[in-house]
Amino acid sequence: MRPVLLQLYRLGVLFAVAWLVRAHHARLRAEGDAPVRVGEVTGWFTNAAELQLDLEARGGFRVRDRDGAELGYLIRTLPQADRIIGYCGITDTLVALDREGHVLGFKIRKSEDTKTHVGDVMDDRHFKKTWNGMTWEQVAGMDLKNAGVEGVSGATMTSMAVAEGIVHRFRVAQGEMRPPTFRVGLRDCGLVAVVVLGVWLTFTKREGRERWRRWFQWVVIGYVGFLNGDLLAQTLLAGWAKSGVAWRMAPGLVLFAAASFAVPWVARRPLYCQQLCPHGAAQEVITRLAPVRWRVNVPAALDRALRWLPGLLLLFVLSVVMLPLEFDLAGLEPFDAYIIRSAGIATIAVAIAGLLAALFVPKAYCKYACPTGALLEFVRARGTGDKFGRRDLAAGAMLLVALAMHWLHAAIHAWVFGAAA
Ligand code: SF4
Protein backbone atom coordinates (compact mmCIF):
# COMPACT_ATOMS: atom_id res chain seq x y z
CA MET A 1 0.00 0.00 0.00
CA ARG A 2 2.80 2.45 0.89
CA PRO A 3 4.30 2.63 -2.63
CA VAL A 4 0.85 3.31 -4.10
CA LEU A 5 0.18 6.09 -1.61
CA LEU A 6 3.60 7.57 -2.30
CA GLN A 7 2.96 7.60 -6.03
CA LEU A 8 -0.39 9.25 -5.47
CA TYR A 9 1.30 11.83 -3.25
CA ARG A 10 3.90 12.59 -5.97
CA LEU A 11 1.28 12.94 -8.66
CA GLY A 12 -0.85 15.03 -6.33
CA VAL A 13 2.04 17.43 -5.62
CA LEU A 14 2.76 17.77 -9.34
CA PHE A 15 -0.85 18.52 -10.23
CA ALA A 16 -1.29 20.85 -7.27
CA VAL A 17 1.74 22.94 -8.30
CA ALA A 18 0.55 22.99 -11.93
CA TRP A 19 -2.94 24.02 -10.81
CA LEU A 20 -1.55 26.81 -8.63
CA VAL A 21 0.58 28.12 -11.50
CA ARG A 22 -2.49 28.05 -13.77
CA ALA A 23 -4.74 29.79 -11.25
CA HIS A 24 -2.04 32.34 -10.47
CA HIS A 25 -1.53 33.27 -14.11
CA ALA A 26 -5.24 33.43 -14.80
CA ARG A 27 -5.43 35.99 -11.99
CA LEU A 28 -2.39 37.94 -13.21
CA ARG A 29 -3.86 38.01 -16.71
CA ALA A 30 -7.20 39.30 -15.44
CA GLU A 31 -5.57 41.90 -13.19
CA GLY A 32 -3.10 43.13 -15.77
CA ASP A 33 -5.20 42.82 -18.92
CA ALA A 34 -3.28 45.52 -20.75
CA PRO A 35 -5.63 47.79 -22.70
CA VAL A 36 -4.64 48.56 -26.29
CA ARG A 37 -2.94 51.97 -26.62
CA VAL A 38 -2.92 54.35 -29.56
CA GLY A 39 0.87 54.09 -29.77
CA GLU A 40 0.53 50.44 -30.76
CA VAL A 41 -1.26 51.27 -34.01
CA THR A 42 0.62 54.28 -35.35
CA GLY A 43 2.70 51.97 -37.55
CA TRP A 44 -0.49 51.42 -39.57
CA PHE A 45 -2.35 54.66 -38.87
CA THR A 46 0.09 57.56 -38.58
CA ASN A 47 -2.59 60.06 -37.55
CA ALA A 48 -4.32 57.83 -35.01
CA ALA A 49 -5.43 59.76 -31.95
CA GLU A 50 -8.17 57.64 -30.45
CA LEU A 51 -9.27 54.01 -30.19
CA GLN A 52 -13.03 53.82 -29.80
CA LEU A 53 -14.38 50.54 -28.51
CA ASP A 54 -16.88 49.01 -30.93
CA LEU A 55 -19.75 47.59 -28.90
CA GLU A 56 -21.18 45.69 -31.88
CA ALA A 57 -20.55 41.97 -32.50
CA ARG A 58 -17.06 42.52 -33.94
CA GLY A 59 -15.90 43.87 -30.60
CA GLY A 60 -12.80 45.68 -31.89
CA PHE A 61 -11.76 49.33 -31.98
CA ARG A 62 -12.50 52.07 -34.47
CA VAL A 63 -9.27 53.99 -35.04
CA ARG A 64 -9.93 57.74 -35.31
CA ASP A 65 -7.80 60.80 -35.91
CA ARG A 66 -7.92 64.07 -33.95
CA ASP A 67 -11.00 65.24 -35.83
CA GLY A 68 -12.86 62.03 -35.14
CA ALA A 69 -12.55 60.74 -38.71
CA GLU A 70 -12.35 56.96 -38.93
CA LEU A 71 -9.00 55.72 -40.22
CA GLY A 72 -9.56 52.01 -39.88
CA TYR A 73 -10.40 49.19 -37.53
CA LEU A 74 -8.45 47.17 -35.03
CA ILE A 75 -9.12 43.74 -33.64
CA ARG A 76 -7.44 41.92 -30.77
CA THR A 77 -7.36 38.11 -30.60
CA LEU A 78 -7.59 37.81 -26.80
CA PRO A 79 -9.60 36.87 -24.87
CA GLN A 80 -11.58 35.07 -27.62
CA ALA A 81 -8.53 33.01 -28.72
CA ASP A 82 -7.32 32.13 -25.22
CA ARG A 83 -7.78 28.40 -25.79
CA ILE A 84 -5.32 28.40 -28.68
CA ILE A 85 -1.94 27.50 -27.27
CA GLY A 86 1.11 27.38 -29.50
CA TYR A 87 4.23 25.60 -28.29
CA CYS A 88 3.80 26.58 -24.67
CA GLY A 89 1.52 29.57 -24.30
CA ILE A 90 -1.20 31.87 -25.57
CA THR A 91 -0.56 34.89 -27.77
CA ASP A 92 -2.31 38.25 -27.94
CA THR A 93 -2.29 39.55 -31.51
CA LEU A 94 -3.55 42.79 -33.05
CA VAL A 95 -4.91 42.90 -36.60
CA ALA A 96 -5.41 46.21 -38.38
CA LEU A 97 -7.91 46.79 -41.20
CA ASP A 98 -8.36 49.80 -43.44
CA ARG A 99 -11.61 51.75 -43.80
CA GLU A 100 -12.82 49.41 -46.53
CA GLY A 101 -12.30 46.39 -44.25
CA HIS A 102 -9.13 44.99 -45.83
CA VAL A 103 -6.40 43.65 -43.58
CA LEU A 104 -3.34 45.89 -43.35
CA GLY A 105 -1.27 43.54 -41.18
CA PHE A 106 -0.89 42.04 -37.74
CA LYS A 107 1.46 42.24 -34.83
CA ILE A 108 2.00 40.29 -31.64
CA ARG A 109 1.31 42.41 -28.54
CA LYS A 110 2.22 39.85 -25.91
CA SER A 111 2.90 36.16 -25.86
CA GLU A 112 3.49 33.49 -23.24
CA ASP A 113 5.11 31.33 -25.90
CA THR A 114 8.90 30.87 -26.20
CA LYS A 115 10.44 34.30 -26.80
CA THR A 116 12.75 33.18 -29.60
CA HIS A 117 9.84 31.53 -31.45
CA VAL A 118 7.77 34.69 -31.15
CA GLY A 119 10.73 36.70 -32.48
CA ASP A 120 11.01 34.31 -35.44
CA VAL A 121 7.33 34.77 -36.25
CA MET A 122 7.60 38.56 -36.23
CA ASP A 123 10.78 38.46 -38.34
CA ASP A 124 9.20 36.33 -41.06
CA ARG A 125 8.11 38.85 -43.69
CA HIS A 126 6.27 36.30 -45.78
CA PHE A 127 4.18 35.04 -42.84
CA LYS A 128 3.45 38.57 -41.71
CA LYS A 129 1.75 39.28 -45.04
CA THR A 130 -0.46 36.17 -44.94
CA TRP A 131 -3.76 38.08 -44.49
CA ASN A 132 -2.84 41.39 -46.09
CA GLY A 133 -5.55 42.66 -48.41
CA MET A 134 -8.14 40.10 -47.26
CA THR A 135 -11.66 41.05 -46.21
CA TRP A 136 -13.41 40.06 -42.96
CA GLU A 137 -15.28 37.29 -44.73
CA GLN A 138 -12.16 35.92 -46.40
CA VAL A 139 -10.24 35.71 -43.12
CA ALA A 140 -13.19 34.19 -41.25
CA GLY A 141 -13.79 31.62 -43.98
CA MET A 142 -10.13 30.70 -44.37
CA ASP A 143 -9.02 27.09 -44.12
CA LEU A 144 -5.37 27.43 -43.19
CA LYS A 145 -4.43 24.02 -44.56
CA ASN A 146 -6.11 24.57 -47.92
CA ALA A 147 -4.68 28.09 -48.07
CA GLY A 148 -1.18 26.59 -47.76
CA VAL A 149 -0.37 28.38 -44.50
CA GLU A 150 2.35 26.20 -43.00
CA GLY A 151 3.77 28.51 -40.40
CA VAL A 152 7.30 29.68 -39.80
CA SER A 153 10.11 27.17 -39.94
CA GLY A 154 11.57 26.61 -36.45
CA ALA A 155 8.49 28.19 -34.84
CA THR A 156 5.74 26.19 -36.50
CA MET A 157 3.49 25.74 -33.47
CA THR A 158 3.80 29.35 -32.33
CA SER A 159 3.10 30.72 -35.81
CA MET A 160 0.21 28.33 -36.45
CA ALA A 161 -1.31 29.30 -33.10
CA VAL A 162 -1.08 32.95 -34.16
CA ALA A 163 -2.74 32.04 -37.47
CA GLU A 164 -5.44 29.97 -35.78
CA GLY A 165 -6.01 32.76 -33.27
CA ILE A 166 -6.54 35.37 -36.00
CA VAL A 167 -8.93 33.19 -38.02
CA HIS A 168 -10.80 32.15 -34.86
CA ARG A 169 -11.17 35.77 -33.75
CA PHE A 170 -12.56 36.81 -37.12
CA ARG A 171 -15.02 33.90 -37.03
CA VAL A 172 -16.21 34.94 -33.58
CA ALA A 173 -16.62 38.49 -34.90
CA GLN A 174 -18.77 37.10 -37.71
CA GLY A 175 -20.93 35.30 -35.15
CA GLU A 176 -19.50 31.83 -35.86
CA MET A 177 -18.82 29.76 -32.75
CA ARG A 178 -16.74 26.96 -34.32
CA PRO A 179 -14.26 25.52 -31.79
CA PRO A 180 -10.59 26.07 -32.68
CA THR A 181 -9.14 23.48 -35.06
CA PHE A 182 -7.63 20.24 -33.79
CA ARG A 183 -4.50 19.69 -35.86
CA VAL A 184 -2.89 16.31 -36.44
CA GLY A 185 0.07 16.33 -38.77
CA LEU A 186 2.98 14.18 -39.85
CA ARG A 187 5.00 15.52 -36.95
CA ASP A 188 2.44 14.20 -34.46
CA CYS A 189 2.41 10.78 -36.13
CA GLY A 190 6.22 10.74 -36.10
CA LEU A 191 6.31 11.52 -32.38
CA VAL A 192 3.78 8.78 -31.64
CA ALA A 193 5.96 6.32 -33.60
CA VAL A 194 9.01 7.43 -31.57
CA VAL A 195 7.10 6.90 -28.30
CA VAL A 196 6.00 3.41 -29.39
CA LEU A 197 9.56 2.45 -30.33
CA GLY A 198 10.88 3.95 -27.10
CA VAL A 199 8.37 2.00 -25.02
CA TRP A 200 9.26 -1.18 -26.90
CA LEU A 201 12.98 -0.64 -26.26
CA THR A 202 12.27 0.07 -22.61
CA PHE A 203 10.42 -3.17 -21.97
CA THR A 204 11.77 -5.66 -24.49
CA LYS A 205 14.14 -8.35 -23.34
CA ARG A 206 15.01 -9.42 -26.86
CA GLU A 207 18.60 -10.08 -27.75
CA GLY A 208 20.24 -7.18 -29.57
CA ARG A 209 18.23 -4.60 -27.64
CA GLU A 210 21.32 -2.49 -26.91
CA ARG A 211 22.30 -2.44 -30.59
CA TRP A 212 18.80 -1.29 -31.54
CA ARG A 213 18.91 1.30 -28.80
CA ARG A 214 22.12 2.78 -30.20
CA TRP A 215 20.53 3.15 -33.62
CA PHE A 216 17.43 4.62 -32.04
CA GLN A 217 19.55 7.23 -30.28
CA TRP A 218 20.52 8.65 -33.68
CA VAL A 219 16.84 8.83 -34.63
CA VAL A 220 16.08 10.64 -31.39
CA ILE A 221 18.95 13.12 -31.84
CA GLY A 222 18.20 13.75 -35.52
CA TYR A 223 14.42 13.56 -35.68
CA VAL A 224 13.13 14.53 -32.22
CA GLY A 225 16.02 16.94 -31.58
CA PHE A 226 17.30 18.68 -34.70
CA LEU A 227 14.36 18.19 -37.05
CA ASN A 228 11.42 18.79 -34.70
CA GLY A 229 12.96 20.36 -31.59
CA ASP A 230 10.37 18.47 -29.55
CA LEU A 231 12.21 18.15 -26.25
CA LEU A 232 10.61 18.26 -22.83
CA ALA A 233 11.87 21.38 -21.12
CA GLN A 234 11.01 23.76 -18.32
CA THR A 235 9.84 26.37 -20.85
CA LEU A 236 7.35 23.90 -22.25
CA LEU A 237 6.12 22.49 -18.93
CA ALA A 238 5.90 25.90 -17.27
CA GLY A 239 4.09 27.27 -20.33
CA TRP A 240 1.55 24.46 -20.26
CA ALA A 241 1.05 24.95 -16.54
CA LYS A 242 0.41 28.67 -17.11
CA SER A 243 -1.77 28.55 -20.21
CA GLY A 244 -3.02 24.99 -20.55
CA VAL A 245 -1.79 22.01 -22.52
CA ALA A 246 -1.46 22.50 -26.28
CA TRP A 247 -3.45 19.43 -27.21
CA ARG A 248 -5.14 21.11 -30.16
CA MET A 249 -1.98 22.39 -31.82
CA ALA A 250 0.44 19.65 -30.82
CA PRO A 251 -1.36 16.41 -29.87
CA GLY A 252 1.75 14.35 -30.68
CA LEU A 253 3.89 16.38 -28.30
CA VAL A 254 1.24 16.13 -25.57
CA LEU A 255 1.16 12.35 -25.92
CA PHE A 256 4.97 12.30 -25.95
CA ALA A 257 5.03 14.26 -22.67
CA ALA A 258 2.22 12.22 -21.12
CA ALA A 259 4.03 8.95 -21.86
CA SER A 260 7.28 10.39 -20.48
CA PHE A 261 5.59 11.02 -17.12
CA ALA A 262 3.17 8.09 -17.06
CA VAL A 263 5.60 5.24 -17.82
CA PRO A 264 8.03 5.98 -14.95
CA TRP A 265 5.11 6.76 -12.63
CA VAL A 266 3.48 3.40 -13.29
CA ALA A 267 6.33 1.11 -14.30
CA ARG A 268 9.51 2.58 -12.74
CA ARG A 269 11.28 2.82 -16.09
CA PRO A 270 12.65 6.28 -17.01
CA LEU A 271 11.26 6.22 -20.55
CA TYR A 272 12.18 9.78 -21.53
CA CYS A 273 15.63 9.96 -19.94
CA GLN A 274 16.60 6.49 -21.11
CA GLN A 275 15.15 6.48 -24.62
CA LEU A 276 13.55 9.69 -25.84
CA CYS A 277 15.68 12.64 -24.77
CA PRO A 278 17.98 13.86 -27.57
CA HIS A 279 20.36 15.52 -25.12
CA GLY A 280 20.60 12.38 -23.00
CA ALA A 281 21.27 10.35 -26.15
CA ALA A 282 23.89 12.84 -27.39
CA GLN A 283 25.72 12.64 -24.06
CA GLU A 284 25.75 8.85 -24.23
CA VAL A 285 27.13 8.91 -27.78
CA ILE A 286 29.89 11.32 -26.73
CA THR A 287 30.81 9.22 -23.71
CA ARG A 288 31.07 6.14 -25.94
CA LEU A 289 33.35 7.98 -28.36
CA ALA A 290 35.65 9.39 -25.65
CA PRO A 291 38.68 7.30 -24.60
CA VAL A 292 38.02 5.51 -21.29
CA ARG A 293 41.22 7.01 -19.81
CA TRP A 294 39.52 10.43 -19.89
CA ARG A 295 36.93 9.36 -17.32
CA VAL A 296 37.00 11.32 -14.11
CA ASN A 297 35.72 10.10 -10.77
CA VAL A 298 33.74 12.85 -9.09
CA PRO A 299 34.68 12.98 -5.38
CA ALA A 300 31.78 11.81 -3.21
CA ALA A 301 31.39 15.14 -1.38
CA LEU A 302 31.28 17.09 -4.64
CA ASP A 303 28.87 14.54 -6.12
CA ARG A 304 26.53 14.96 -3.14
CA ALA A 305 26.69 18.74 -3.34
CA LEU A 306 26.13 18.91 -7.10
CA ARG A 307 23.08 16.65 -6.93
CA TRP A 308 21.23 19.48 -5.17
CA LEU A 309 21.52 21.67 -8.24
CA PRO A 310 18.62 20.26 -10.35
CA GLY A 311 16.23 20.64 -7.40
CA LEU A 312 17.41 24.19 -6.76
CA LEU A 313 16.91 24.98 -10.43
CA LEU A 314 13.34 23.70 -10.16
CA LEU A 315 12.78 26.08 -7.27
CA PHE A 316 14.22 28.89 -9.38
CA VAL A 317 11.87 27.98 -12.25
CA LEU A 318 8.92 28.05 -9.86
CA SER A 319 9.94 31.51 -8.64
CA VAL A 320 10.34 32.83 -12.19
CA VAL A 321 6.90 31.52 -13.11
CA MET A 322 5.07 32.66 -9.97
CA LEU A 323 6.53 36.12 -9.42
CA PRO A 324 6.64 36.36 -12.52
CA LEU A 325 10.17 37.42 -13.51
CA GLU A 326 11.33 38.52 -16.96
CA PHE A 327 13.67 35.59 -17.45
CA ASP A 328 13.76 33.31 -20.47
CA LEU A 329 13.69 29.79 -19.04
CA ALA A 330 15.05 28.43 -22.33
CA GLY A 331 18.48 29.75 -21.28
CA LEU A 332 18.51 27.50 -18.24
CA GLU A 333 18.56 24.27 -20.22
CA PRO A 334 20.27 23.04 -23.38
CA PHE A 335 17.17 21.84 -25.16
CA ASP A 336 16.42 24.84 -27.36
CA ALA A 337 19.93 24.54 -28.80
CA TYR A 338 18.57 21.77 -31.02
CA ILE A 339 16.51 24.38 -32.85
CA ILE A 340 19.73 25.90 -34.12
CA ARG A 341 18.15 28.76 -36.06
CA SER A 342 16.52 30.36 -33.05
CA ALA A 343 18.61 29.14 -30.11
CA GLY A 344 19.89 31.78 -27.70
CA ILE A 345 23.52 32.03 -26.63
CA ALA A 346 22.84 30.86 -23.04
CA THR A 347 21.07 27.73 -24.30
CA ILE A 348 23.89 26.90 -26.70
CA ALA A 349 26.48 27.47 -23.97
CA VAL A 350 24.64 25.11 -21.57
CA ALA A 351 24.32 22.51 -24.36
CA ILE A 352 28.00 22.63 -25.29
CA ALA A 353 29.11 22.57 -21.64
CA GLY A 354 26.90 19.52 -21.01
CA LEU A 355 28.27 17.67 -24.04
CA LEU A 356 31.87 18.49 -23.14
CA ALA A 357 31.28 17.31 -19.58
CA ALA A 358 30.07 13.98 -20.99
CA LEU A 359 33.60 13.41 -22.34
CA PHE A 360 34.78 13.02 -18.75
CA VAL A 361 31.73 12.10 -16.66
CA PRO A 362 28.95 10.01 -18.26
CA LYS A 363 25.67 11.96 -18.31
CA ALA A 364 27.14 14.65 -16.07
CA TYR A 365 24.51 17.18 -17.15
CA CYS A 366 21.70 14.71 -16.38
CA LYS A 367 23.04 13.98 -12.91
CA TYR A 368 24.09 17.43 -11.83
CA ALA A 369 22.15 20.07 -13.71
CA CYS A 370 18.94 18.97 -15.38
CA PRO A 371 15.73 20.24 -13.72
CA THR A 372 13.51 18.43 -16.23
CA GLY A 373 15.27 15.15 -15.48
CA ALA A 374 14.80 15.83 -11.75
CA LEU A 375 11.07 16.34 -12.27
CA LEU A 376 10.74 13.09 -14.22
CA GLU A 377 12.79 11.27 -11.61
CA PHE A 378 10.57 12.65 -8.85
CA VAL A 379 7.46 10.95 -10.25
CA ARG A 380 9.23 7.65 -10.96
CA ALA A 381 8.02 4.71 -8.88
CA ARG A 382 10.69 2.85 -6.94
CA GLY A 383 9.01 -0.47 -6.18
CA THR A 384 8.05 -2.17 -2.94
CA GLY A 385 10.97 -0.73 -0.93
CA ASP A 386 9.94 2.84 -1.78
CA LYS A 387 9.70 5.25 1.13
CA PHE A 388 9.11 8.93 1.79
CA GLY A 389 12.48 10.51 1.09
CA ARG A 390 14.22 13.87 0.92
CA ARG A 391 12.94 14.40 -2.62
CA ASP A 392 9.33 14.00 -1.47
CA LEU A 393 9.93 16.36 1.41
CA ALA A 394 11.48 18.93 -0.94
CA ALA A 395 8.50 18.57 -3.32
CA GLY A 396 6.07 19.15 -0.45
CA ALA A 397 8.07 22.24 0.55
CA MET A 398 7.94 23.47 -3.04
CA LEU A 399 4.17 23.10 -3.04
CA LEU A 400 4.03 25.26 0.10
CA VAL A 401 6.26 27.85 -1.62
CA ALA A 402 3.89 27.88 -4.61
CA LEU A 403 0.91 28.26 -2.28
CA ALA A 404 2.57 31.15 -0.45
CA MET A 405 3.49 32.84 -3.73
CA HIS A 406 -0.10 32.54 -4.90
CA TRP A 407 -1.83 33.75 -1.74
CA LEU A 408 0.73 36.34 -0.71
CA HIS A 409 1.51 37.48 -4.22
CA ALA A 410 0.98 41.20 -3.68
CA ALA A 411 3.17 41.32 -0.56
CA ILE A 412 5.95 39.15 -2.06
CA HIS A 413 5.88 41.07 -5.33
CA ALA A 414 6.11 44.40 -3.50
CA TRP A 415 8.93 43.08 -1.31
CA VAL A 416 10.98 41.64 -4.21
CA PHE A 417 10.47 44.48 -6.68
CA GLY A 418 10.35 47.15 -4.01
CA ALA A 419 13.68 45.89 -2.70
CA ALA A 420 15.11 45.76 -6.22
CA ALA A 421 13.98 49.33 -7.01
S1 SF4 B 1 18.21 14.17 -17.26
FE1 SF4 B 1 17.64 15.86 -18.63
S2 SF4 B 1 19.13 15.84 -20.27
FE2 SF4 B 1 19.31 13.93 -19.18
S3 SF4 B 1 18.09 12.53 -20.33
FE3 SF4 B 1 16.79 13.32 -18.71
S4 SF4 B 1 15.76 15.13 -19.54
FE4 SF4 B 1 17.44 14.58 -20.92
Side-chain angles (χ1 to χ4, degrees):
M1 199 58 192
R2 191 176 60 189
V4 175
L5 289 176
L6 269 172
Q7 283 307 88
L8 288 174
Y9 164 79
R10 287 165 189 153
L11 197 65
V13 169
L14 207 64
F15 274 107
V17 172
W19 182 85
L20 277 170
V21 171
R22 182 83 197 266
H24 190 62
H25 275 265
R27 190 174 83 183
L28 291 181
R29 243 175 256 135
E31 283 172 357
D33 183 24
V36 184
R37 305 277 180 216
V38 172
E40 295 179 63
V41 304
T42 45
W44 293 302
F45 309 103
T46 329
N47 298 327
E50 185 197 352
L51 297 176
Q52 182 192 38
L53 183 63
D54 177 12
L55 297 172
E56 301 296 319
R58 288 180 170 176
F61 300 90
R62 295 184 197 287
V63 185
R64 299 191 185 278
D65 67 11
R66 264 179 217 291
D67 303 323
E70 188 167 334
L71 303 173
Y73 199 85
L74 194 71
I75 201 157
R76 177 184 179 184
T77 57
L78 286 190
Q80 286 84 349
D82 64 358
R83 284 189 296 154
I84 300 173
I85 298 149
Y87 178 66
C88 64
I90 53 176
T91 298
D92 191 8
T93 309
L94 283 183
V95 184
L97 298 103
D98 64 18
R99 263 182 308 197
E100 285 72 44
H102 294 103
V103 173
L104 293 170
F106 78 88
K107 76 175 185 187
I108 294 174
R109 299 189 70 212
K110 198 166 189 292
S111 178
E112 292 182 358
D113 223 319
T114 313
K115 284 188 174 54
T116 48
H117 295 182
V118 174
D120 285 348
V121 175
M122 288 318 292
D123 289 345
D124 192 300
R125 286 193 197 166
H126 180 69
F127 184 73
K128 278 181 80 179
K129 290 182 185 158
T130 303
W131 295 273
N132 287 11
M134 286 191 185
T135 62
W136 280 91
E137 293 72 21
Q138 284 171 328
V139 180
M142 195 176 184
D143 181 316
L144 291 170
K145 198 171 173 192
N146 291 343
V149 179
E150 289 172 348
V152 174
S153 160
T156 314
M157 285 182 235
T158 306
S159 52
M160 289 312 290
V162 169
E164 286 281 352
I166 290 174
V167 172
H168 179 75
R169 179 64 183 87
F170 273 71
R171 281 183 188 151
V172 172
Q174 298 287 92
E176 280 189 56
M177 298 311 280
R178 261 189 263 173
T181 318
F182 177 70
R183 309 178 70 84
V184 183
L186 260 182
R187 181 170 174 168
D188 302 290
C189 302
L191 275 180
V192 171
V194 167
V195 170
V196 170
L197 280 171
V199 170
W200 178 74
L201 280 168
T202 300
F203 292 102
T204 186
K205 291 193 168 55
R206 281 181 66 147
E207 207 182 314
R209 171 187 175 275
E210 193 48 36
R211 190 162 40 89
W212 280 107
R213 189 171 168 266
R214 288 185 181 194
W215 280 112
F216 186 63
Q217 285 182 328
W218 288 108
V219 174
V220 163
I221 295 169
Y223 180 72
V224 180
F226 286 111
L227 193 64
N228 285 352
D230 283 334
L231 290 88
L232 296 192
Q234 292 305 300
T235 23
L236 179 74
L237 301 174
W240 284 1
K242 282 194 281 187
S243 310
V245 173
W247 59 273
R248 281 196 180 88
M249 294 299 297
L253 185 58
V254 173
L255 193 127
F256 185 75
S260 300
F261 278 92
V263 171
W265 186 73
V266 175
R268 300 167 60 178
R269 306 287 177 91
L271 171 69
Y272 185 76
C273 289
Q274 215 168 58
Q275 314 290 356
L276 305 180
C277 175
H279 201 61
Q283 289 174 82
E284 279 195 38
V285 169
I286 285 181
T287 301
R288 274 203 301 275
L289 294 176
V292 178
R293 65 175 187 282
W294 287 9
R295 295 274 165 86
V296 172
N297 275 331
V298 180
L302 182 61
D303 176 83
R304 270 199 306 277
L306 286 174
R307 281 180 192 268
W308 282 94
L309 189 56
L312 291 174
L313 287 174
L314 279 177
L315 185 62
F316 177 70
V317 170
L318 185 67
S319 312
V320 168
V321 171
M322 293 300 280
L323 274 171
L325 297 175
E326 272 300 318
F327 180 89
D328 189 0
L329 290 175
L332 210 60
E333 294 184 302
F335 308 130
D336 262 26
Y338 289 80
I339 312 164
I340 294 170
R341 215 167 62 84
S342 57
I345 291 182
T347 308
I348 293 173
V350 176
I352 292 174
L355 295 177
L356 286 177
L359 286 169
F360 310 102
V361 180
K363 287 200 148 184
Y365 175 77
C366 298
K367 283 187 222 153
Y368 301 130
C370 183
T372 299
L375 200 60
L376 289 161
E377 183 59 18
F378 166 66
V379 296
R380 189 167 73 83
R382 290 167 188 88
T384 46
D386 200 0
K387 51 181 192 276
F388 193 87
R390 272 187 310 182
R391 221 178 295 225
D392 301 302
L393 196 65
M398 236 182 259
L399 174 59
L400 292 179
V401 170
L403 255 175
M405 284 181 163
H406 181 54
W407 293 114
L408 306 174
H409 174 72
I412 294 175
H413 195 270
W415 180 68
V416 171
F417 294 100

